[in-house]
Amino acid sequence: MAKEQCLRWNNLQFGLFLRRLFLTKLTMLNFKDVMKSASMLILLFVTACGPKFTEEIKEGYTMVHNEGGSTLGFSPVSGVKILTEDGFAFKDLNKNGILDVYEDWRLPVDERATDLASKMSIEQIAGLMLYSAHQSIPGAGRSFFGPVTYNGKPFSESGAEPSDLSDAQKIFLTKDNLRHVLITSVASPEVAARWNNNAQGMVEGIGMGIPVNSSSDPRHGSDAYAEYNAGAGGDISMWPGTLGIAASFDPGLMYQFGAIGSKEYRALGIATALSPQIDLATEPRWSRFDGTMGEDPDLVTDMAKAYIEGFQSSDEGGWGYQSVNAMVKHWPGGGPEEGGRDAHFGYGAYAVYPGNNLKDHLKPFVHGAFNLEGGTGEAAAVMPYYTISFNQDTINHENVGNGFNKYLITDLLRGKYGYDGVVCTDWGITRDATNVHEFQGKPWGVEELSEAERHYKAIEAGCDQFGGNNQMGPVIEAYNMGVVEHGELNMRKRFETSAVRLLKNIFRVGLFENPYLDVSETKNTVGNPEFMKAGYEAQLRSIVMLKNTHNTLPVMERKKVYVPQRYVAASRNWFGVVTPERQEHPINMEVVDDYFEVVNNPEDADFALVAIKSPDGGVGYDIKDKEQGGNGYVPISLQYGSYEAARARDTSLAGGSFLEDFSNRTYRGKKVNANNISDMQLVNDTKKQMGDKPVIVVVHVSKPMVFSEIESNAASILIHMGVQDQALMDIISGKTEPSALLPFQMPADMITVEQQLEDLPRDMKPYQDSEGNKYDFAFGLNWAGTITDERVNRYK
């Protein structure tokens, strides 16, 4: 009951008690009854009107524990006070002295989000629609997105703490009302927790007190050189990538990853995962193949569902404080890139559908991400890819980037499939691009529009949020364009619709109640021994054995092993950062020495262990070809040796750009060599040196590859998608038996790669090795031979 009602009730009861006391002749016989009545009255008063919460002082914030209700956290520097009603505590986030609907944790999330959206200014909603560029903690002196300063100086010269907010972060949180932050690297889990508390303390005292919703791209990858020690912890648990977990063919393992990952994310202050990547990997040359879950629609659908269930569901089931919003990507499937070229660049802008097979690419979304069995219902957010899904708009017939395509978002995603979660653009689609080959903005199909016009077109298409945008100015401009076209009432309603969607994702994970972290709990949670053990066991289950001539594996004894050094050619990444050439051991030799006797000469060895990577056959564009009079487009090769695209298409399926004066992107007749052709030479040269002695080849694969160049010189072949070297040694030594299966096909040659259709799964001729085994989807070996179990029967 309200405080005033409580006091009136108490006064009435106390008056009745006094009247009874004066009218009763007090004796020893009735004295106990009178005192009992008084005690009951006091108890009733305390129960009805007394506080039902306790306070606890933490490092930099205060926690309020409501009896049977939500736990609150607030910072003393924010100026936020506690309101009480019915004995419970609530945060007065907008400091008006009244318990507003959105501040009442007892009410449904939809009701709270709607109330808050109605109270927000257009500027506040515009800020909510922003998603920051990449933020490292602390920030480096300069990043791709510009200089990072603390009080006007680089971090190393500033005297700032690693957990302090950078100058840019202070600006976009206060002046631009941004509340969604993408976090990349962090100095340590403890630094991440303190940064979170600093950021939350700042925004809690501003405007409506909307907390920061931090996010992350996948961050649980394995450090190959790290040694696993049972009972030891780490900075974060290390798992194979999702493609590696998919190789287990066990959705339960993917769910376990999500459940553990969500706990570690929340302990770091991360409440949204910019994952999973559930693109169907039907184009084997695509550079983002290794971030997927494979090419089979049924397997990917089951894995996608398990991943999201694990991240979004709390231990109690449904949404809770351990939940992490999952932003699935990339609608409507980024896999069928023509020729394998990626849409981070203009040369890869087009996704094509020569097999008329959009339906398979939608399946992981419609039957997986939007059809959850737990209490969260559907993935909290969706990210469209940069691609132009060529000729898939059957209503407006527009060929523009997916984030600008009204048919794909409003008609298909929201209309046909009924999705009402957040739609966030991929990063940088509203920024400018001046050519097709540099890492710039990605406004494919709308290059001629202004930045503000692109924002408006994305809003009109149905998007709620802009990835990689720190400034609200262009969003305000887009709003004003909408006012001119639709009127202020309609544009206000449109913005509130997006605000409600965005706010629901913040409310559901409990950030409005307590966005703060206990640093000691963070330290004990992230990378704890239990989580590290689970991740390591998952790595073991992700390693696929493709070949094992004469039962070369396992090597049970401590035999002598020769491990040749690997040459790594100089390279340049997307951001233009150059890595010089080097010669190195590809495996942690201290780990190898724990299992076998390492020798330096092949003639002294019992067997050789050669570790390489799958062919790096380029990106499909070469500026030198353009400068020499060509169109710039070249093949992407899945083999090490020289490849000439004699059977490529004469005319590309899609093409044309505001940045080019031609539309045919063919690369027919052009040649390319893999950047790591030396890996093929390393295998074959080692075999010559070893003679009849076995060569075990371990390949870190990032996409399918042609094995014909090296397979005959390998006695055994293991492939993995990113594991610790120790996991490989556990397989090789027989400590663990391999159990994983191929979640994709290995092509017989580059002819079948050129003939396959970009949008069709499992349509290549698989490679057949010298043992007669076909490296097809769902193939794998254990010590007894080809694996034929329930997993194979279910998915193949």
Side-chain angles (χ1 to χ4, degrees):
M1 64 180 69
K3 185 175 181 180
E4 293 79 6
Q5 293 175 311
C6 183
L7 290 173
R8 285 197 298 270
W9 178 86
N10 178 68
N11 289 337
L12 174 63
Q13 297 300 317
F14 190 66
L16 292 173
F17 170 75
L18 290 177
R19 183 171 183 272
R20 179 189 173 198
L21 183 62
F22 283 112
L23 294 178
T24 302
K25 184 176 181 181
L26 210 57
T27 68
M28 290 300 294
L29 292 176
N30 60 19
F31 178 77
K32 291 183 179 180
D33 291 336
V34 173
M35 290 300 101
K36 186 176 180 181
S37 297
S39 298
M40 290 180 64
L41 178 61
I42 294 170
L43 180 62
L44 284 169
F45 173 74
V46 171
T47 302
C49 302
K52 298 178 182 178
F53 60 88
T54 57
E55 292 190 2
E56 179 183 4
I57 305 301
K58 292 282 193 176
E59 179 188 336
Y61 67 101
T62 299
M63 288 186 70
V64 179
H65 303 277
N66 281 297
E67 182 184 326
S70 294
T71 296
L72 312 180
F74 67 98
S75 170
V77 301
S78 70
V80 166
K81 305 296 183 185
I82 291 296
L83 301 172
T84 59
E85 181 170 295
D86 298 343
F88 293 112
F90 305 85
K91 292 161 68 173
D92 186 13
L93 291 168
N94 60 6
K95 304 177 185 177
N96 65 353
I98 300 170
L99 180 60
D100 292 288
V101 169
Y102 85 91
E103 297 167 334
D104 191 341
W105 45 260
R106 299 169 298 185
L107 298 176
V109 163
D110 287 11
E111 191 175 335
R112 297 177 70 189
T114 301
D115 176 67
L116 178 52
S118 71
K119 290 178 166 63
M120 295 172 69
S121 68
I122 291 300
E123 289 74 17
Q124 289 170 329
I125 295 177
L128 194 65
M129 296 170 75
L130 302 176
Y131 224 126
S132 82
H134 301 64
Q135 306 292 311
S136 60
I137 303 172
R142 184 174 183 83
S143 74
F144 173 79
F145 304 99
V148 181
T149 60
Y150 294 77
N151 298 318
K153 299 179 180 179
F155 174 75
S156 60
E157 303 171 12
S158 67
E161 295 294 327
S163 56
D164 287 349
L165 273 63
S166 69
D167 295 336
Q169 289 164 357
K170 293 175 183 177
I171 290 172
F172 65 55
L173 289 175
T174 57
K175 295 184 179 180
D176 291 288
N177 299 313
L178 184 148
R179 290 297 179 271
H180 293 80
V181 179
L182 172 55
I183 294 175
T184 55
S185 62
V186 297
S188 70
E190 297 94 318
V191 167
R194 289 191 173 96
W195 181 91
N196 171 82
N197 291 352
N198 290 337
Q200 301 293 6
M202 172 178 284
V203 300
E204 188 174 63
I206 301 173
M208 297 293 179
I210 299 173
V212 170
N213 180 4
S214 293
S215 70
S216 173
D217 282 310
R219 59 191 313 116
H220 282 88
S222 300
D223 178 357
Y225 267 55
E227 187 171 355
Y228 171 70
N229 294 305
D235 285 340
I236 197 166
S237 62
M238 290 187 283
W239 298 70
T242 52
L243 188 60
I245 299 177
S248 73
F249 278 57
D250 180 9
L253 183 61
M254 189 70 83
Y255 178 88
Q256 182 191 31
F257 165 65
I260 289 175
S262 66
K263 292 180 175 64
E264 292 187 304
Y265 271 31
R266 292 309 301 267
L268 292 168
I270 296 167
T272 295
L274 300 187
S275 57
Q277 184 185 337
I278 61 176
D279 303 298
L280 210 58
T282 53
E283 169 46 61
R285 294 164 290 188
W286 187 30
S287 63
R288 299 193 70 178
F289 193 103
D290 62 343
T292 72
M293 299 176 181
E295 65 175 310
D296 182 74
D298 293 331
L299 179 62
V300 176
T301 296
D302 290 347
M303 289 291 178
K305 181 180 291 190
Y307 184 111
I308 300 164
E309 295 272 20
F311 265 93
Q312 290 193 169
S313 296
S314 64
D315 286 347
E316 295 75 28
W319 294 105
Y321 194 72
Q322 293 173 327
S323 297
V324 171
N325 296 297
M327 183 181 292
V328 293
K329 55 190 187 185
H330 304 88
W331 178 263
E337 304 264 14
E338 182 164 18
R341 300 182 296 270
D342 182 64
H344 276 82
F345 302 86
Y347 58 66
Y350 288 99
V352 294
Y353 300 84
N356 193 29
N357 191 37
L358 177 63
K359 68 179 189 312
D360 271 351
H361 293 265
L362 298 180
K363 188 173 182 179
F365 294 91
V366 176
H367 299 289
F370 306 157
N371 187 35
L372 305 181
E373 296 171 2
T376 63
E378 63 184 12
V382 170
M383 181 190 296
Y385 201 37
Y386 298 121
T387 45
I388 298 170
S389 296
F390 190 63
N391 288 346
Q392 296 307 298
D393 182 348
T394 59
I395 294 181
N396 306 305
H397 306 289
E398 260 197 316
N399 279 315
V400 294
N402 297 329
F404 302 110
N405 194 300
K406 188 173 184 179
Y407 167 75
L408 291 176
I409 297 174
T410 295
D411 297 323
L412 195 64
L413 176 61
R414 297 208 188 279
K416 182 175 181 178
Y417 296 116
Y419 182 75
D420 194 40
V422 168
V423 175
C424 177
T425 74
D426 211 332
W427 263 234
I429 72 165
T430 57
R431 291 198 292 268
D432 291 335
T434 59
N435 58 59
V436 300
H437 64 274
E438 290 185 304
F439 192 83
Q440 300 175 337
K442 298 138 186 70
W444 313 140
V446 294
E447 292 92 339
E448 74 283 6
L449 298 183
S450 70
E451 187 174 358
E453 288 171 334
R454 293 175 196 140
H455 279 80
Y456 182 50
K457 187 168 182 61
I459 292 170
E460 288 284 274
C463 290
D464 303 299
Q465 196 168 30
F466 299 94
N469 292 23
N470 291 0
Q471 298 177 331
M472 70 175 179
V475 184
I476 297 297
E477 287 186 66
Y479 174 82
N480 291 331
M481 292 176 186
V483 169
V484 172
E485 183 172 354
H486 302 294
E488 187 163 7
L489 186 64
N490 287 326
M491 276 310 288
R492 170 78 201 191
K493 182 179 179 182
R494 172 65 185 86
F495 265 48
E496 283 192 27
T497 297
S498 287
V500 168
R501 291 177 182 140
L502 291 160
L503 290 168
K504 283 163 65 174
N505 286 354
I506 305 177
F507 276 115
R508 286 189 295 213
V509 297
L511 289 174
F512 272 92
E513 277 60 69
N514 181 26
Y516 297 96
L517 299 173
D518 184 317
V519 177
S520 63
E521 289 184 9
T522 292
K523 184 177 181 179
N524 292 333
T525 300
V526 181
N528 71 45
E530 177 189 351
F531 295 168
M532 296 294 287
K533 181 174 184 289
Y536 186 75
E537 290 174 348
Q539 293 178 47
L540 294 171
R541 295 179 60 187
S542 73
I543 299 168
V544 185
M545 184 164 70
L546 295 179
K547 185 179 181 182
N548 196 25
T549 305
H550 304 309
N551 294 321
T552 299
L553 295 179
V555 182
M556 304 292 287
E557 305 170 17
R558 186 175 170 81
K559 292 186 176 182
K560 295 179 181 179
V561 61
Y562 168 63
V563 182
Q565 288 196 338
R566 176 176 179 258
Y567 170 74
V568 181
S571 62
R572 182 188 301 269
N573 69 9
W574 282 359
F575 303 106
V577 178
V578 176
T579 301
E581 66 176 3
R582 62 192 186 276
Q583 194 91 16
E584 64 183 14
H585 273 119
I587 298 180
N588 185 335
M589 297 307 292
E590 292 182 3
V591 171
V592 177
D593 191 55
D594 289 339
Y595 293 78
F596 308 105
E597 182 182 345
V598 177
V599 296
N600 295 323
N601 297 309
E603 57 266 25
D604 298 330
D606 296 311
F607 71 100
L609 176 59
V610 182
I612 60 175
K613 293 190 175 181
S614 55
D616 177 7
V619 297
Y621 191 89
D622 187 350
I623 189 63
K624 292 180 182 178
D625 178 80
K626 178 71 172 174
E627 292 169 349
Q628 294 170 2
N631 63 0
Y633 292 86
V634 296
I636 296 175
S637 178
L638 299 183
Q639 66 184 38
Y640 293 107
S642 179
Y643 168 62
E644 181 178 352
R647 302 196 186 188
R649 297 180 180 115
D650 281 323
T651 304
S652 61
L653 296 178
S657 168
F658 186 76
L659 304 172
E660 292 178 329
D661 58 2
F662 59 89
S663 60
N664 187 4
R665 295 181 167 189
T666 183
Y667 51 83
R668 186 180 177 93
K670 295 181 181 179
K671 294 182 180 180
V672 67
N673 290 317
N675 296 322
N676 59 334
I677 189 174
S678 56
D679 280 351
M680 175 187 72
Q681 297 164 345
L682 184 64
V683 173
N684 298 335
D685 290 347
T686 302
K687 178 57 182 173
K688 290 179 183 178
Q689 293 172 313
M690 293 296 294
D692 293 333
K693 292 181 289 188
V695 175
I696 298 169
V697 176
V698 174
V699 190
H700 182 172
V701 298
S702 57
K703 61 177 77 169
M705 61 178 284
V706 176
F707 268 94
S708 59
E709 298 165 306
I710 62 172
E711 177 267 321
S712 62
N713 285 326
S716 297
I717 299 175
L718 297 174
I719 70 161
H720 67 95
M721 281 66 81
V723 298
Q724 293 169 254
D725 292 337
Q726 187 173 348
L728 295 169
M729 294 303 105
D730 279 350
I731 296 286
I732 292 170
S733 67
K735 186 175 181 179
T736 301
E737 184 174 13
S739 63
L741 306 167
L742 280 175
F744 52 86
Q745 294 179 307
M746 292 293 187
D749 47 41
M750 282 303 297
I751 294 175
T752 191
V753 173
E754 293 289 2
Q755 290 176 340
Q756 60 89 33
L757 301 182
E758 285 90 339
D759 60 328
L760 292 183
R762 298 167 55 177
D763 63 337
M764 293 190 295
K765 176 185 177 183
Y767 178 75
Q768 183 170 325
D769 69 14
S770 56
E771 301 290 301
N773 290 317
K774 291 184 178 180
Y775 297 175
D776 203 352
F777 173 79
F779 171 74
L781 300 173
N782 57 22
W783 303 145
T786 302
I787 299 172
T788 54
D789 57 18
E790 184 274 335
R791 298 172 300 161
V792 177
N793 295 332
R794 178 178 180 184
Y795 289 106
K796 188 172 182 179

